[in-house]
Amino acid sequence: MQKILSLFVLLSMASSFGQENKTKEQEKIIEEYLTNCAQKYNYTIQMAEWQNCLDEGLKKDSTIAYLWQQKAMPYFKARKYEIGMPFLDKAVQYNAERWQPYRGFMKCIFSKSYKDAIADLEDCKKKFGNGYVMDHSYDFYIAISYLQLDEFTKAETYLENYVDEMFQKRQGLEHPTALFYLGIAKYELEKYDEAIAIFKRTLKLYPNFSDAKFYMGICMARVGKSDEAETLLKEAKEDYKSGYTLNEDNTIYETYPYQRKWKE
């Protein structure tokens, strides 16, 4: 029995040592072919050079998930989703816990494959719990996907849960984007008074939020408050012209659902 235990300990130590060596080797490859090679190029105008560096790194070790994700990323930013997604799938294959939530986010905000986004993120919740990706919970992106599929009641439920969770975990703090989309769900369900109340909370956090003012103005018009509606719509246009819109990092690459674009 003692010999079996000793053998088990030795095997465990060997496995741990082997994994540590593999990680160190992968870090060296990432430094050589991403940090010291690909990142010397601007992928917007030097895509071939960027990709060639990463390909050389993957020849050394094709299981490095981060290199696959870095191959995918510039294609998504260039709106070449069908090229980028197979590379992102590879990243998920080699490190699902790190990259599957990101893939769900990309399907929701970038490639706009909403049913696939929901499936990916629900699977993440089962395997890893309801974590966060790009500043929001998986439920947030599931809710946005349901909004885009016109399943407004489901979106409302997910967003209410998300807003409540944030309020409890962050000691009373709220997020204007989360509240904005909850207001949108209420608006789509024709719960105009509830939507107005939510948009008011949104504007307390972000007073120049043009998109929130626009939809709040529409709700005001729906309940017969035409003067308030007109004022809000005028303010929304001016705020938009001043650059106040959805405050999410990736709006520089993609228009978010319900993000209002004003014409001159």
Side-chain angles (χ1 to χ4, degrees), residues 107-118:
K107 287 176 178 179
C108 175
I109 300 300
F110 281 76
S111 64
K112 296 159 180 64
S113 307
Y114 299 112
K115 291 181 180 179
D116 287 344
I118 291 168

Side-chain angles (χ1 to χ4, degrees), residues 3-69:
K3 289 183 178 179
I4 293 174
L5 288 172
S6 298
L7 180 61
F8 177 77
V9 170
L10 287 171
L11 288 172
S12 297
M13 291 174 61
S15 175
S16 176
F17 181 74
Q19 183 60 43
E20 183 179 341
N21 279 347
K22 183 178 181 180
T23 301
K24 287 182 178 178
E25 284 301 314
Q26 289 184 337
E27 288 173 354
K28 288 180 183 178
I29 292 170
I30 290 169
E31 182 177 7
E32 181 176 356
Y33 293 100
L34 175 62
T35 308
N36 296 332
C37 186
Q39 290 180 351
K40 291 183 177 181
Y41 299 102
N42 182 335
Y43 53 71
T44 303
I45 56 175
Q46 296 170 300
M47 179 71 86
E49 291 88 344
W50 175 277
Q51 295 293 343
N52 287 340
C53 287
L54 297 175
D55 287 341
E56 289 303 309
L58 288 165
K59 285 179 183 177
K60 298 281 186 178
D61 186 344
S62 64
T63 71
I64 302 176
Y66 187 39
L67 294 186
W68 287 111
Q69 182 273 336

Side-chain angles (χ1 to χ4, degrees), residues 93-161:
Q93 176 183 337
Y94 293 117
N95 190 344
E97 188 169 2
R98 173 65 183 85
W99 295 114
Q100 189 175 345
Y102 174 81
R103 184 175 67 183
F105 159 79
M106 296 300 283
K107 287 176 178 179
C108 175
I109 300 300
F110 281 76
S111 64
K112 296 159 180 64
S113 307
Y114 299 112
K115 291 181 180 179
D116 287 344
I118 291 168
D120 238 354
L121 293 168
E122 289 288 10
D123 187 54
C124 287
K125 287 172 63 179
K126 289 178 183 176
K127 293 191 292 191
F128 317 122
N130 185 24
Y132 276 65
V133 58
M134 294 296 175
D135 299 325
H136 295 288
S137 74
Y138 306 159
D139 277 351
F140 172 79
Y141 296 105
I142 292 170
I144 289 180
S145 297
Y146 277 128
L147 282 175
Q148 293 300 88
L149 295 170
D150 283 1
E151 296 191 47
F152 304 124
T153 300
K154 288 182 180 179
E156 178 189 37
T157 300
Y158 277 90
L159 286 163
E160 284 179 338
N161 290 339

